[in-house]
Amino acid sequence: MVNLYRMRQLMRQVPRKLWQIEQEKARATKITTVLTGMSRSGSGKNQVEDGAIKLAELKEAYAAVANELHYMQVELIPLIDTLEDARLSATMRLRYINGYSQDEIADAIYVADRTVRRYLMLAEKELCKRYPDKVHADGVPL
């Protein structure tokens, strides 16, 4: 089952998760630098362990989000390919498979952002109508 609303949520989470990982890596680098100059009393060991645990948790959370998104994308590709209007299928592919924002799609296909929103709405309606057992746009007014 492909939930288009959930896909949009996941697409917003991916860059956030990557940013959190980079922030934790930067924090770990700072801690390591500080600890390198300290005596070997073990006072910073907990900070290093906590940082390593936090980094592992963030990477695991990112992997879960990325895997869920990928699973839905794989299910959605053949359904997008059944859309007869090339504009709708191209817009859906750019949005849900390539992860473009509506503004990026508008720039890529040389149309207004309102037109992109209309194409997406029409394509989502069509897919939900054709494949009610495979696609739904839960949380999206259609």
Side-chain angles (χ1 to χ4, degrees):
M1 175 65 76
V2 176
N3 182 335
L4 300 174
Y5 179 73
R6 177 71 179 144
M7 283 186 78
R8 286 193 296 273
Q9 287 178 322
L10 294 171
M11 289 164 51
R12 285 190 299 271
Q13 287 180 19
V14 167
R16 278 189 224 135
K17 297 288 183 198
L18 289 172
W19 182 82
Q20 290 172 337
I21 289 169
E22 290 306 313
Q23 291 299 306
E24 193 58 36
K25 283 180 180 178
R27 185 178 164 278
T29 302
K30 288 177 187 174
I31 290 171
T32 305
T33 304
V34 169
L35 293 177
T36 303
M38 293 177 70
S39 64
R40 300 285 181 206
S41 64
S43 62
K45 187 175 182 181
N46 287 341
Q47 287 180 331
V48 173
E49 287 176 7
D50 291 346
I53 290 169
K54 176 77 173 175
L55 188 58
E57 289 170 352
L58 288 171
K59 285 182 177 182
E60 189 175 307
Y62 167 75
V65 167
N67 286 337
E68 184 180 354
L69 180 59
H70 178 73
Y71 175 76
M72 283 195 257
Q73 287 172 328
V74 167
E75 282 189 61
L76 188 59
I77 290 171
L79 304 179
I80 290 172
D81 291 341
T82 66
L83 291 170
E84 294 162 6
D85 189 333
R87 298 172 301 178
L88 301 184
S89 61
T91 304
M92 285 291 286
R93 186 173 288 279
L94 288 170
R95 177 74 178 129
Y96 289 102
I97 308 306
N98 298 358
Y100 283 31
S101 69
Q102 290 180 2
D103 290 336
E104 291 171 326
I105 296 169
D107 291 341
I109 63 174
Y110 305 107
V111 296
D113 59 337
R114 289 183 60 151
T115 304
V116 170
R117 284 195 295 274
R118 186 169 53 85
Y119 287 170
L120 288 171
M121 184 207 49
L122 291 171
E124 290 170 4
K125 264 187 183 178
E126 180 66 27
L127 289 176
C128 289
K129 190 169 90 176
R130 270 194 210 175
Y131 307 104
D133 57 328
K134 294 182 181 181
V135 179
H136 66 92
D138 191 75
V140 178
L142 292 177

